[in-house]
Amino acid sequence: MRFMVIVKANKDSEAGVMPTKELLTEMGKFNEELVKAGVMLAGEGLHPSSKGARVKFSGGNTTVIDGPFAETKELVAGYWIWQVKSKEEAIEWLKRAPFEDTEVEIRQVFEAEDFGAEFTPELREQEERLRGKMAAQK
């Protein structure tokens, strides 16, 4: 099972305050443990929303809204993609993360079989072909 582990933004991350050397060191150690255990597939920190944009689709129209965005607690500061056996395993790994005063959300990533019959063999083939192209670009 794959899970997206979403690190919520706070006033510091939205202000562009960079992590301390100590936190970066601890996070590096934690990420190394995740990689060695075969858990971490990807992970990145994100710039503040002031450098981002939202694109809204409604009634055939597209609207672009430049950041920053008001509700800091609803924003994402970073993420991981983890491969684990269960949500409980993801939670156990997350409990070891070097965070203080941070909220983190864990959400399962859909797999092909989750879509049922609507995800036809043709669509599955297309998905595999695209995944192969993405892997080749790395």
Side-chain angles (χ1 to χ4, degrees):
M1 303 172 107
R2 291 180 300 154
F3 286 85
M4 177 176 249
V5 181
I6 304 162
V7 180
K8 300 290 185 105
N10 60 34
K11 67 180 178 78
D12 285 343
S13 66
E14 275 298 288
V17 175
M18 297 305 288
T20 64
K21 178 182 176 184
E22 291 77 23
L23 180 57
L24 289 172
T25 300
E26 289 303 309
M27 191 59 68
K29 289 177 186 176
F30 181 61
N31 286 341
E32 192 168 335
E33 284 183 57
L34 292 167
V35 170
K36 284 181 179 178
V39 170
M40 184 172 162
L41 301 178
E44 303 290 342
L46 302 175
H47 281 269
S49 69
S50 61
K51 295 183 176 185
R54 287 184 177 161
V55 181
K56 182 179 178 179
F57 300 89
S58 179
N61 296 319
T62 306
T63 306
V64 177
I65 304 155
D66 289 323
F69 306 117
E71 289 295 320
T72 301
K73 66 182 180 178
E74 301 297 326
L75 300 175
V76 177
Y79 71 93
W80 284 287
I81 302 291
W82 290 352
Q83 178 81 45
V84 292
K85 293 182 178 93
S86 66
K87 180 173 73 174
E88 293 73 26
E89 182 183 356
I91 291 168
E92 288 306 311
W93 274 105
L94 187 55
K95 286 179 179 180
R96 298 168 60 187
F99 288 128
E100 284 189 29
D101 302 321
T102 303
E103 185 175 331
V104 181
E105 182 176 335
I106 299 173
R107 304 268 304 273
Q108 189 172 351
V109 175
F110 277 109
E111 303 293 348
E113 56 272 8
D114 296 328
F115 292 101
E118 297 299 319
F119 200 48
T120 64
E122 295 80 18
L123 291 172
R124 287 174 190 259
E125 182 181 315
Q126 178 189 32
E127 177 75 13
E128 289 301 316
R129 193 171 56 251
L130 292 173
R131 285 183 186 273
K133 286 182 181 180
M134 288 188 302
Q137 291 176 354
K138 290 183 179 180

